[in-house]
Amino acid sequence: MDGMDFYEKLDLLMKLTGTTNSALARYTALDASYVSRLRRGTRAPVGNAVYVRGFASYFSRQFGGERERKILRDVLRTGELPRDNEGLALLIGQWLVQPGSAAVSGGIEGFLGGFSGGLPGAGNGSKRPAPTEPEGGREVSGASDAPVSLYQGGDAKRQAVLGFLSLVLQASRPGELLLYSDEPMDWLTDDPGFAARWAALLVGVIGKGNRIRIVHTVSRNLDEMLAALSKWIPLYMTGAIEPYYYPRKRDGVFGRTLFVSPGVAAVSATSTGETAGQAPHFLVRDPEAVEAFAREFRSYLALCRPLMRIFTPRQQ
């Protein structure tokens, strides 16, 4: 399985704790732009860098509650965490620089953990870097801020989704996410490393105040439904998600993925069963096109029914 590089681990910890580049830079006496480059992977950490130990010391102080510590246990793939900050900092530091598959200043390994805990209380204050294009992907107009980006290849949906959630995090104010896909879910369930990145971004999206309306496909096979639910149930417990389902049987010839953040961006893809893995995915930023996709989603949502009611501890 693929691991995560140092910059991906750093970005994940910052997302989970709601840490900004400036806050981490102040703690470690670095420049915020340097932290940003480390986080994006454009600068590799030098061997035995003092600031890496500083990073670990900072994060060891951000996981104080039991809910947050459970998340960290899942990330580090360990049973128990040290109770003292020094011991926890040592464990985090070892994980950050553990050698593995990526050849960046001696190699950095990633984690293979899922996301099964709750959400930390901290919000999100940092911006996600622009999405990385998969092999075969390209911007339709040739610019990084193009109104439409085209992704193709086996990793297209993952990269399009990461780019979409990144844009939502960068939005100036919270809104709502409209999510629907009846295409196969292996893009989410097959790679634990990606699932953790996806979950970390959603942590930031929800922590920023966004609400999610999702239409589930209830005609999936049982194994696929259980695998998908294992990723969604922790997020349901935030009370920020409204799940729906379409009550009628569909022919299943064409599959559709439509993720929309009104006023921000949309992801659109259509396939038949045997072409789902190779279907082109469009990440759209053009305001009129995004609004058209939002209308399409709401038109479909009007035909759906609530899947479940979710109660949180704040509700009587």
Side-chain angles (χ1 to χ4, degrees):
M1 294 184 184
D2 294 333
M4 291 178 71
D5 299 342
F6 173 87
Y7 76 94
E8 294 173 304
K9 294 179 180 181
L10 177 62
D11 184 66
L12 175 60
L13 288 174
M14 293 179 71
K15 291 294 186 190
L16 289 175
T17 58
T19 300
T20 64
N21 296 337
S22 298
L24 190 59
R26 284 194 300 270
Y27 188 87
T28 52
L30 293 174
D31 188 89
S33 63
Y34 187 80
V35 173
S36 177
R37 290 194 293 273
L38 287 171
R39 190 178 184 181
R40 296 197 310 267
T42 59
R43 173 62 69 91
V46 298
N48 299 317
V50 174
Y51 60 74
V52 175
R53 294 196 294 273
F55 290 169
S57 176
Y58 174 88
F59 291 121
S60 71
R61 290 164 167 77
Q62 308 306 310
F63 291 89
E66 287 302 318
R67 184 172 56 178
E68 289 83 359
R69 290 175 68 86
K70 184 180 188 308
I71 293 174
L72 188 59
R73 287 198 301 270
D74 289 344
V75 168
L76 300 183
R77 297 296 295 273
T78 186
E80 290 297 327
L81 298 175
R83 283 292 171 182
D84 61 295
N85 286 337
E86 290 185 3
L88 186 57
L90 179 62
L91 187 64
I92 294 173
Q94 290 173 341
W95 175 73
L96 277 171
V97 301
Q98 189 175 7
S101 59
V104 179
S105 290
I108 309 294
E109 193 200 12
F111 76 93
L112 300 176
F115 183 90
S116 59
L119 298 175
N124 183 288
S126 56
K127 289 187 177 182
R128 179 79 179 177
T132 303
E133 293 182 10
E135 182 178 355
R138 66 182 185 275
E139 304 287 355
V140 172
S141 74
S144 60
D145 59 348
V148 180
S149 301
L150 171 63
Y151 297 94
Q152 287 183 291
D155 210 29
K157 192 181 295 295
R158 290 173 180 166
Q159 294 295 338
V161 168
L162 289 179
F164 171 73
L165 292 177
S166 299
L167 291 171
V168 174
L169 276 175
Q170 294 176 37
S172 59
R173 64 187 64 182
E176 65 176 349
L177 271 67
L178 310 174
L179 308 180
Y180 169 73
S181 180
D182 59 2
E183 294 185 300
M185 295 295 294
D186 51 2
W187 65 275
L188 176 58
T189 58
D190 282 2
D191 184 346
F194 170 81
R197 294 179 67 189
W198 167 87
L201 282 170
L202 276 180
V203 166
V205 165
I206 294 174
K208 193 174 179 179
N210 292 279
R211 296 191 61 82
I212 298 174
R213 290 184 175 182
I214 179 170
V215 178
H216 286 290
T217 301
V218 295
S219 59
R220 299 184 186 276
N221 67 64
L222 183 60
D223 289 341
E224 190 175 33
M225 288 183 65
L226 291 176
L229 281 173
S230 71
K231 310 298 181 186
W232 278 104
I233 284 177
L235 298 167
Y236 283 153
M237 296 302 100
T238 66
I241 300 177
E242 298 177 24
Y244 297 84
Y245 74 100
Y246 181 68
R248 294 189 176 184
K249 181 71 174 177
R250 299 182 61 182
D251 57 25
V253 175
F254 286 96
R256 180 84 166 106
T257 290
L258 182 61
F259 298 160
V260 187
S261 176
V264 179
V267 171
S268 175
T270 303
S271 66
T272 60
E274 59 187 26
T275 66
Q278 294 78 39
H281 287 67
F282 298 93
L283 176 58
V284 180
R285 305 173 184 85
D286 178 77
E288 292 185 5
V290 172
E291 179 57 30
F293 283 129
R295 289 196 299 269
E296 177 186 342
F297 184 97
R298 293 190 177 105
S299 176
Y300 182 57
L301 185 64
L303 305 175
C304 298
R305 298 175 181 174
L307 179 63
M308 64 182 78
R309 293 184 67 190
I310 300 169
F311 295 92
T312 67
R314 297 180 181 179
Q315 296 170 299
Q316 295 297 320

